[in-house]
Amino acid sequence: MQYSDRILNTPSSFIRNILKVTEANDVISFAGGLPNPISFPLEDIHTSIDRAMKQHGAKLFQYAATQGYLPLRQYIADKYNRQYNLQVHPDDILLTTGSQQALELLAKVLVNKGDGIIIEEPGYLGAIQAFTLAEPTFYPVTLEEDGLNLEQLEHALQQPNVKFIYTVPNFQNPTGLTYSLEKRQQVYELVSRHDVILIEDDPYGELRFEGQHLPYIGAGKLENSVLLGSFSKIVTPGMRLGFIITKNKELLQHIETAKQATDLHTNIFSQYVIADYLLNNDLSQHIQKIKNLYKTQSDAMLQAMATYFPSYVSYTKPQGGMFIWATMNDGRSAMDVFNKAMEQKVAFVPGNPFYVQAGDVSTMRLNYTNSTPEIIEEGIKRLANIL
Ligand SMILES: Cc1ncc(COP(=O)(O)O)c(C=O)c1O
C-alpha cells in the first residue's frame, strides 16, 4: 500500500498509545488527560435525555444543519457575552465534534503545504497532530511562565506565509501555564500589526480555582480572532461538543464547507441533550464543584512534590485546569525516567511529543485530576524515589 505523505508524516498520539499500559489497574497514572468521571452530571443528563426525546422526538436522530443547533449556539453566545463581554451573535458560532475538530478544520481551510503555523513550545499534542495533516512549516515559540516569548514571536511573524498563531491562554496543555495580563496585551499589540489569525483554544478557562479571571488576548478585539470552546472539561467529553467563535464570516463559511465534507454535522443527539442540560441546570454551580475537586487534587500533588521531589526538579503551579509540568534541570532524559517509572507502576507523559521537533527532553506532564489525594501522594513518592 502507498500511503499519503500527509499521514506518514503525522505522529500517532504517544499518549493514546501508552494509555493501554498506563491505565492498567495496578498503575498509578498521571499520564491521562481525562476529566474526573465523578464530575459528570449523570443524573441531570439522564433527565435531559428523557426530556429532549419527549420534546423533540425523531429530530434527535435526523440529519441536521452543519452550523449546529440554534438554541445551543444562542446559549453559547449569551454566555460568552455575559461572562466575557464579547458581543457574539449565534451566527458567529459553529458547533464542532469537540474542539479537536475545530483545529483540524482550521488547518484544512487555511494552510497550504509549507505555510507557516506559529505554535507554543511545548504545545498541545492534539493540535500538533491536527495541523501536521496540512503539511505546514511549524514555527515554535517558547512558552514562558507568563506566555509566549515576544522576541521569538516577532521573529516568527516575519516568516513567509504564516497563517495563524495557535495559543492556549489558560492553564495550557501540557504545562498548566496561564498568560499574564501584561503578556496578553503585548501579544495582542504584536499580532494586531500583522495579517495573521490568532487562535485562542480555551477548553480549561472556566476551571480557574485560584487568582483572577483574565480577558482573552484577541477575542472581542482582534478582527482575525478565532476562539475555541468545548464542553468536554465542564460537562462531559464523550458527547464530543466543541465550538468555534469568530466574527470573520468568510472564514466561518469555509469552515462550514470543510465540515460538510468531513462529517456533515456534529452529533445532533448530543446537541439537543446538552442544550437541554444547559438550559435547565445551573452550569456555574456545577463548574464550582469541579473546581473544588481539582483544587484539592492539585494541592495534594504540589504538596507531595514539595515534600519528596529532589531540588533539581522545578515545576509549574497551576491556577486551574488539569496539569503540572515538571522540568529536570540536570538534563536527564524524561523517556528514561518514564521507563523506570513504569517498572515502579507510576506513569506520566514524558515531554517529547509536545515539541514539534521531537528530541530527547527533560520535561514531563503530570495530570492530577484522576487520583485521590492519597494515591497522588503515593505516586509522587514513587516518582521521587526514581528521580
Ligand atoms: C488544549 C486543548 N485543546 C483541545 C482539546 C480537545 O478537546 P475536545 O475535542 O474534547 O473539545 C484538548 C483536550 O485535551 C486540549 O487540551
Side-chain angles (χ1 to χ4, degrees):
M1 273 298 237
Q2 298 274 307
Y3 294 99
S4 68
D5 294 343
R6 228 176 6 254
I7 196 64
L8 293 177
N9 291 329
T10 302
S12 76
S13 166
F14 179 81
I15 300 173
R16 290 191 161 263
N17 296 346
I18 62 171
L19 232 50
K20 275 195 205 103
V21 253
T22 58
E23 303 305 307
N25 273 343
D26 57 345
V27 172
I28 297 179
S29 179
F30 305 134
L34 309 182
N36 194 316
I38 66 169
S39 74
F40 299 164
L42 293 185
E43 273 180 34
D44 292 334
I45 287 180
H46 194 170
T47 306
S48 286
I49 291 171
D50 288 344
R51 193 163 40 214
M53 283 190 63
K54 270 201 199 101
Q55 265 177 19
H56 304 285
K59 283 187 183 159
L60 270 71
F61 303 95
Q62 185 55 283
Y63 283 119
T66 303
Q67 191 167 6
Y69 182 45
L70 180 59
L72 184 52
R73 286 188 285 124
Q74 182 70 57
Y75 174 92
I76 296 165
D78 292 346
K79 176 177 160 65
Y80 276 67
N81 293 341
R82 197 174 54 243
Q83 276 179 220
Y84 307 108
N85 199 18
L86 289 191
Q87 287 151 7
V88 173
H89 187 272
D91 287 349
D92 305 327
I93 299 173
L94 181 136
L95 289 156
T96 52
T97 302
S99 50
Q100 184 63 32
Q101 184 182 50
L103 301 173
E104 207 258 345
L105 294 177
L106 281 159
K108 231 181 212 169
V109 162
L110 290 164
V111 177
N112 286 318
K113 187 172 180 174
D115 284 352
I117 292 178
I118 298 177
I119 186 163
E120 297 161 333
E121 175 117 304
Y124 169 50
L125 168 63
I128 295 175
Q129 252 191 330
F131 299 158
T132 300
L133 282 166
E135 304 182 280
T137 304
F138 281 112
Y139 297 107
V141 171
T142 305
L143 184 69
E144 299 171 336
E145 200 79 15
D146 65 345
L148 285 172
N149 176 299
L150 291 175
E151 242 171 69
Q152 290 176 24
L153 177 60
E154 190 152 19
H155 185 257
L157 279 165
Q158 280 152 17
Q159 302 309 305
N161 298 328
V162 171
K163 294 296 179 64
F164 60 78
I165 306 170
Y166 172 72
T167 63
V168 181
N170 299 309
F171 325 124
Q172 194 240 18
N173 183 359
T175 60
L177 290 171
T178 294
Y179 288 50
S180 68
L181 183 60
E182 194 188 4
K183 193 49 92 58
R184 284 170 201 247
Q185 285 159 350
Q186 289 166 330
V187 171
Y188 167 75
E189 274 160 32
L190 195 52
V191 172
S192 59
R193 294 204 296 272
H194 290 81
D195 183 20
V196 66
I197 287 170
L198 177 72
I199 301 174
E200 292 178 88
D201 181 11
D202 190 30
Y204 305 106
E206 294 199 61
L207 300 180
R208 178 181 278 284
F209 44 69
E210 248 172 58
Q212 286 294 311
H213 167 77
L214 297 170
Y216 284 113
I217 302 169
K221 294 188 285 185
L222 201 66
E223 204 185 325
N224 281 330
S225 146
V226 173
L227 178 59
L228 306 183
S230 172
F231 293 107
S232 290
K233 310 301 191 305
I234 54 173
V235 187
T236 67
M239 295 178 88
R240 306 306 302 125
L241 281 179
F243 46 92
I244 300 176
I245 303 178
T246 182
K247 290 266 175 199
N248 186 328
K249 297 251 177 278
E250 194 177 83
L251 172 64
L252 205 60
Q253 214 159 44
H254 285 308
I255 290 172
E256 190 171 333
T257 305
K259 183 166 168 66
Q260 285 164 1
T262 298
D263 65 355
L264 303 181
H265 63 81
T266 296
N267 184 320
I268 190 65
F269 178 88
S270 290
Q271 294 186 58
Y272 270 105
V273 169
I274 211 141
D276 183 278
Y277 168 77
L278 295 166
L279 292 168
N280 290 290
N281 292 277
D282 184 344
L283 182 64
S284 56
Q285 214 173 53
H286 175 64
I287 290 175
Q288 189 57 50
K289 282 189 218 156
I290 305 177
K291 292 196 289 189
N292 293 344
L293 176 66
Y294 290 180
K295 175 161 172 45
T296 309
Q297 293 167 305
S298 163
D299 283 350
M301 188 170 275
L302 289 170
Q303 177 67 47
M305 288 167 99
T307 310
Y308 302 110
F309 268 17
S311 59
Y312 68 84
V313 183
S314 57
Y315 46 88
T316 59
K317 297 179 182 63
Q319 297 189 316
M322 301 181 13
F323 305 108
I324 292 172
W325 182 250
T327 304
M328 296 172 287
N329 294 301
D330 65 345
R332 76 180 63 190
S333 153
M335 272 314 290
D336 279 356
V337 178
F338 172 76
N339 290 328
K340 289 185 181 124
M342 282 310 297
E343 285 166 21
Q344 302 301 317
K345 307 239 176 266
V346 56
F348 61 87
V349 184
N352 313 53
F354 303 107
Y355 300 77
V356 290
Q357 274 139 4
D360 211 7
V361 297
S362 305
T363 46
M364 51 174 128
R365 190 189 77 174
L366 298 157
N367 163 265
Y368 47 75
T369 62
N370 276 287
S371 315
T372 61
E374 296 72 30
I375 291 177
I376 288 173
E377 185 178 10
E378 171 58 27
I380 291 295
K381 246 194 231 175
R382 284 188 207 174
L383 201 49
N385 278 336
I386 297 157
L387 291 167

